[in-house]
Amino acid sequence: MMTKVERVAARSLKEAGEMIRAGEVVAFATETVYGLGANALSGEAVRKIFRAKGRPGDNPLIVHVASLGQVPPLIKGDMPDAAKKLAEAFWPGPLTMIMDKSPLVPSEVSAGLSTVGIRMPSLESARALIEEAGVPIAAPSANRSGRPSPTTAVHVLEDMDGLIPLILDGGSCEVGLESTVLDVTAFPPRVLRPGGVTAEMIAEVVGAVALDASILKPLAQGEEARSPGMKYRHYAPKARLTIVRGKGAPEAIKRLYDEAERAGERACVLSLDGHKSVYGARRVRGMGEDARAMAKELFAALRELDGEGVTRAFSEAVEARGVGLAVMNRLGRAAAFDVMDVSEDGE
Ligand code: TXA
Ligand code: MG
């Protein structure tokens, strides 16, 4: 199959909408990451997403809507009160809410669960596409399963060339990490995956919020994942990645880097801009100034490590709160939770 890449424009949006209505898969930008979209009401169309992604069939997809009016047919009963308040506060935006699904949502979308995740993206061209399609769009991130999520059309093409007919190029994604996944069937609502709408922001609107235990540590053997996606190895670069955290991190990273290079590895540091100069002539990928910048850079940086043949990487850490919680969740999973704590003296 030939994969076309077209810039977002009235004509390409119309073409993409028609393709989705016809049961095809189209990649499109959102404010979080690129999505691989198909008609959410067609099990057959949705199966094509799983094939293109190489995704296990037991991992459910998020349904994207362009307006609140598209939600009631997708869910069972009324929207929970908390969900109404959160939609009011954060939609359109990077928040996915898990609710009980209606029979209209095919089991391919929910992967057999009785719930469905719904979000309204804030990127205007994403909502325009949903409107052109005239149906809600089911879309996982547009990477091949196990690869970092794509934040540019070039990333999507790297993974999907020949597998889908069209990539709509909407530029680079503003947030850079996938949406916050929040289970609003639970009380208090539970964050299953942290993202751009932070736990702190959610708590401010609904009073209390729970954080799933899997966010900053691997699942214990035999432990069941509340969000099926959490059990899969994700965001994994080919390089072995270690997170080094604490005041002495730069000194410790220099030592570890030099040891790795002496052992024949090709090493790289993922560094906040403030420390970049500390590493001298070593290979460094700058991650911006703070957690928000790091969120935006992280997936591109992980892809670059692979492209540059890096075999051993060391990353600085940010504080695990606010958007930093999402950064440390994704970084932690990319590192298979290999985290090293170092005090002042670098030991
Ligand atoms: O920002 C995003 O959410 C992007 C863009 C394209 O919108 N989409 C995305 O989709 O990240 P995906 O499929 O890569 O991740 C969806 C996550 C998975 O971890 C999945 O297990 C979880 O949400 N999820 C989806 N539906 C669920 C449900 N009914 N119950 C629990 N977890 C669910
Ligand atoms: Mg994904």
Side-chain angles (χ1 to χ4, degrees), residues 33 53 55 59 140-143 147 149 178 193 234-235:
V33 301
K53 234 183 116 76
R55 180 173 180 127
N59 195 1
S141 48
N143 51 290
R147 293 263 292 157
S149 295
E178 308 88 343
R193 179 178 74 182
H234 241 195
Y235 320 118

Side-chain angles (χ1 to χ4, degrees), residues 146-149 177-178 214-218 229-230 232-244 270 287 294 297-303 305-306 310-316 325-339:
R147 293 263 292 157
S149 295
L177 297 179
E178 308 88 343
S214 66
I215 288 175
L216 289 176
K217 63 172 185 58
M230 290 299 216
Y232 295 105
R233 191 177 141 89
H234 241 195
Y235 320 118
K238 289 176 198 133
R240 192 180 139 211
L241 173 64
T242 300
I243 301 167
V244 185
L270 304 185
M287 303 296 286
M294 197 162 173
E297 289 300 318
L298 181 60
F299 289 145
L302 293 177
R303 281 176 180 262
L305 294 182
D306 284 354
V310 170
T311 59
R312 190 74 179 95
F314 304 96
S315 180
E316 295 180 358
L325 182 65
V327 172
M328 293 312 291
N329 167 260
R330 307 307 193 279
L331 198 55
R333 292 159 61 82
F337 294 100
D338 183 13
V339 183

Side-chain angles (χ1 to χ4, degrees), residues 40 61-65 74 96 105 109 116-120 136-139:
L61 307 183
I62 292 171
V63 177
H64 298 69
V65 298
L74 301 171
T96 297
V105 178
V109 170
V116 59
I118 303 178
R119 94 172 183 99
M120 189 192 296
I137 295 182

Side-chain angles (χ1 to χ4, degrees), residues 11-304:
R11 217 183 39 147
S12 56
L13 281 168
K14 187 156 185 281
E15 180 190 2
E18 274 162 15
M19 290 173 89
I20 285 185
R21 253 200 321 280
E24 288 304 325
V25 173
V26 172
F28 64 103
T30 79
E31 73 279 18
T32 57
V33 301
Y34 273 73
L36 203 55
N39 179 355
L41 306 181
S42 160
E44 203 188 319
V46 166
R47 278 200 294 277
K48 292 186 187 170
I49 297 178
F50 283 86
R51 277 204 296 275
K53 234 183 116 76
R55 180 173 180 127
D58 66 349
N59 195 1
L61 307 183
I62 292 171
V63 177
H64 298 69
V65 298
S67 65
L68 266 182
Q70 284 184 309
V71 176
L74 301 171
I75 62 174
K76 187 174 145 200
D78 274 342
M79 238 170 127
D81 276 339
K84 283 186 193 154
K85 283 188 197 156
L86 292 165
E88 167 89 8
F90 303 122
W91 277 4
L95 174 67
T96 297
M97 292 195 274
I98 308 290
M99 294 180 263
D100 289 323
K101 81 172 198 74
S102 80
L104 199 62
V105 178
S107 63
E108 284 86 352
V109 170
S110 59
L113 298 178
S114 60
T115 53
V116 59
I118 303 178
R119 94 172 183 99
M120 189 192 296
S122 64
L123 188 73
E124 219 164 300
S125 64
R127 292 203 311 284
L129 173 64
I130 300 165
E131 263 159 20
E132 284 290 351
V135 288
I137 295 182
S141 48
N143 51 290
R144 291 275 302 167
S145 211
R147 293 263 292 157
S149 295
T151 53
T152 65
V154 169
H155 295 162
V156 179
L157 192 63
E158 279 171 13
D159 283 19
M160 292 294 156
D161 197 11
L163 296 174
I164 58 172
L166 179 62
I167 299 169
L168 270 181
D169 183 350
S172 64
C173 301
E174 189 55 42
V175 178
L177 297 179
E178 308 88 343
S179 63
T180 306
V181 175
L182 185 73
D183 182 357
V184 291
T185 70
F187 185 81
R190 176 184 292 270
V191 176
L192 303 182
R193 179 178 74 182
V197 172
T198 65
E200 292 85 345
M201 288 158 72
I202 293 166
E204 221 166 90
V205 173
V206 295
V209 67
L211 292 184
D212 202 68
S214 66
I215 288 175
L216 289 176
K217 63 172 185 58
L219 287 172
Q221 196 123 46
E223 192 179 345
E224 181 124 10
R226 278 210 178 74
S227 179
M230 290 299 216
K231 69 175 183 251
Y232 295 105
R233 191 177 141 89
H234 241 195
Y235 320 118
K238 289 176 198 133
R240 192 180 139 211
L241 173 64
T242 300
I243 301 167
V244 185
R245 148 176 98 188
K247 281 242 167 62
E251 285 310 310
I253 289 175
K254 281 200 279 189
R255 184 168 49 74
L256 292 164
Y257 180 110
D258 294 345
E259 278 169 20
E261 287 266 320
R262 276 198 298 276
E265 305 262 24
R266 188 173 168 84
C268 185
V269 185
L270 304 185
S271 160
L272 289 161
D273 285 355
H275 302 151
K276 254 173 99 174
S277 59
V278 173
Y279 298 105
R282 295 173 182 85
R283 205 171 290 109
V284 178
R285 170 58 157 89
M287 303 296 286
E289 286 189 339
D290 54 15
R292 200 160 281 279
M294 197 162 173
K296 196 169 169 174
E297 289 300 318
L298 181 60
F299 289 145
L302 293 177
R303 281 176 180 262
E304 280 169 35

